[in-house]
Amino acid sequence: MRRVSVFGATGSIGQSTLDLIGRAPEGYDVVALTGGANVAQLAADARRFQADVAVIADESRLEALRAALEGSGVQAAAGPAALLEAAARPADWVMSAIVGAAGLAPGLEALKQGATLALANKESLVSGGALLLDTAKRHGGTVLPVDSEHSAIFQALVGEDMAAVERLVITASGGAFRDWPLDKLAQASVGEASSHPNWDMGQRITIDSASMFNKAMEVIETHEYFGIDPEKIEVLVHPQSLVHALVGFQDGALMAHLGAPDMRHAIGYALHHPQRAPLPVARLDLAQIGRLDFAPPDPARYPALALAYQVMARGGLSGAVFNAAKDAALDAFIAGEIGFTHMAQVVAQVLDRLLPDNSLINAPMNLDNIAAAAHLGQTQSREAVRKLASHR
């Protein structure tokens, strides 16, 4: 039996992971399950899979979790220290699906145990890619990408020489506002930005899709994980979300990965790697689909993409600044403090202010410095929000 842990078990990625594990439970020994605040779901899953430990991030919900697990034999725990303790428990395979920068430290802890880390946490590579990959190398761990785009690239590169790669192309749905008139974007509401045309995701990632900040993050991830120059990374708007990525080679060939918009493709590939196993996902009928559409992203509609290239050009801790500034701007939009188009303006102001600081960019990459850079990005973003809000 393979020992597995799922961090972020109550979210959409975590639930899809447990769906796959639950189809062949005899093959897995579930070590740890963690969640943010959803006690009922976490407890139900921990009971179902007889996990060794269930950890809730919100420490105020520990007693509720204990009560929900009473008599199950599953240990209940809560808070950041408990997350790290759970990550340090020996496991063969760990899903990293915690949302936000909080996912980095548990991922590092799992890699220190030599685990295979299935990475669905964008922030880990954006904020601390070099640290994450170096930790895996030093401790014999493995990082497998679970974002659909990066999994697609990874699969297309199997058996290929990275030196022969000319470009990596990741696709984007275009989000909720891909067909909106540009002059309407400033008035877009939180509700309108929270409705994705293709995917069923949480509110924050859906809004990030509408602004294409999620794709900006994925561009940085591509650079960090595959070690490819930023100028070789391209983005295409592909409304059908069927082609997840393409790899272009120096002989002119393009290798594409296609599949239904179902995250169990990428999760299942990482779960069974290096083998392939049957997955309960839809099979594409290309004759019925009939056409696939592609277009370059409009820089005026999606200014977040240009910011990603600015971050990659500076390197170092700039990804941590970018991620924190983006999150603070998103918080402000959800709270109604700024408009939809203000988010990119806020992040651009933060980058203009902080990225010229070489001491920040060149500081050693460790958890303390990543946290310090994120704090700077967050506080500067909030200051920019206050200035914008005062003029609205």
Side-chain angles (χ1 to χ4, degrees):
M1 295 179 74
R2 293 177 70 200
R3 298 167 300 174
V4 299
S5 293
V6 181
F7 286 76
T10 57
S12 61
I13 297 295
Q15 289 294 291
S16 291
T17 304
L18 293 178
D19 173 69
L20 294 180
I21 291 172
R23 292 169 186 269
E26 67 281 357
Y28 302 97
D29 175 15
V30 177
V31 177
L33 298 179
T34 81
N38 190 339
V39 168
Q41 186 67 61
L42 180 61
D45 289 332
R47 282 179 173 273
R48 176 189 175 194
F49 292 99
Q50 279 299 288
D52 294 340
V53 62
V55 181
I56 197 80
D58 184 348
E59 294 181 271
S60 70
R61 299 175 189 262
L62 176 57
E63 290 307 315
L65 180 62
R66 282 178 174 155
L69 290 172
E70 187 175 0
S72 67
V74 180
Q75 179 186 347
L83 282 172
L84 293 180
E85 189 277 331
R89 295 189 178 211
D92 304 304
W93 188 91
V94 176
M95 167 57 73
S96 174
I98 294 175
V99 175
L104 177 57
L108 290 171
E109 198 61 45
L111 287 171
K112 289 176 184 177
Q113 317 311 313
T116 291
L117 186 70
L119 188 64
N121 174 268
K122 299 179 190 299
E123 293 79 7
S124 291
L125 280 173
V126 171
S127 297
L131 176 62
L132 189 83
L133 297 175
D134 180 64
T135 299
K137 184 177 180 180
R138 285 189 291 111
H139 295 276
T142 301
V143 180
L144 294 177
V146 174
D147 265 352
S148 59
E149 297 81 3
H150 305 96
S151 176
I153 294 170
F154 186 86
Q155 294 179 53
L157 285 172
V158 171
E160 301 289 349
D161 183 355
M162 195 66 191
V165 173
E166 193 171 67
R167 55 181 171 145
L168 299 179
V169 183
I170 60 175
T171 60
S173 68
F177 303 138
R178 66 187 175 208
D179 299 319
W180 274 42
L182 280 174
D183 59 4
K184 283 188 61 180
L185 290 181
Q187 285 74 49
S189 70
V190 172
E192 290 167 331
S194 301
S195 177
H196 196 281
N198 298 347
W199 300 88
D200 181 16
M201 306 183 291
Q203 182 188 50
R204 296 180 71 83
I205 185 64
T206 303
I207 296 173
D208 277 349
S209 176
S211 65
M212 221 178 269
F213 264 112
N214 73 318
K215 204 57 52 178
M217 298 275 283
E218 289 169 10
V219 166
I220 299 171
E221 283 184 273
T222 303
H223 169 61
E224 293 290 339
Y225 186 82
F226 296 101
I228 194 166
D229 293 338
E231 60 268 20
K232 294 183 178 180
I233 303 171
E234 303 173 18
V235 176
L236 279 178
V237 176
H238 171 50
Q240 292 93 346
S241 292
L242 300 178
V243 178
H244 302 303
L246 307 97
V247 176
F249 296 94
Q250 61 188 3
D251 61 0
L254 272 175
M255 192 176 296
H257 177 286
L258 286 79
D262 187 329
M263 285 303 299
R264 290 178 299 179
H265 272 294
I267 296 167
Y269 186 82
L271 181 62
H272 300 291
H273 182 268
Q275 285 80 38
R276 287 187 182 270
L279 295 176
V281 299
R283 272 50 176 174
L284 295 186
D285 183 340
L286 294 178
Q288 183 180 41
I289 292 166
R291 59 181 285 177
L292 298 171
D293 299 300
F294 303 92
D298 180 357
R301 186 180 299 275
Y302 304 116
L305 288 176
L307 300 179
Y309 287 89
Q310 186 178 342
V311 167
M312 290 186 291
R314 291 295 285 145
L317 295 171
S318 59
V321 172
F322 174 77
N323 177 63
K326 185 271 295 182
D327 275 351
L330 176 57
D331 288 340
F333 171 63
I334 292 173
E337 298 171 359
I338 58 174
F340 178 78
T341 55
H342 288 142
M343 288 188 289
Q345 294 177 31
V346 165
V347 176
Q349 289 177 27
V350 174
L351 297 184
D352 286 345
R353 182 169 299 177
L354 294 181
L355 293 199
D357 184 352
N358 287 325
S359 65
L360 171 67
I361 301 306
N362 297 328
M365 185 168 284
N366 55 48
L367 283 175
D368 287 342
N369 286 340
I370 290 170
H375 179 71
L376 280 173
Q378 184 181 66
T379 54
Q380 290 293 327
S381 186
R382 287 174 176 168
E383 179 61 28
V385 165
R386 281 193 290 271
K387 289 181 179 178
L388 270 173
S390 68
H391 292 93
R392 288 186 74 189

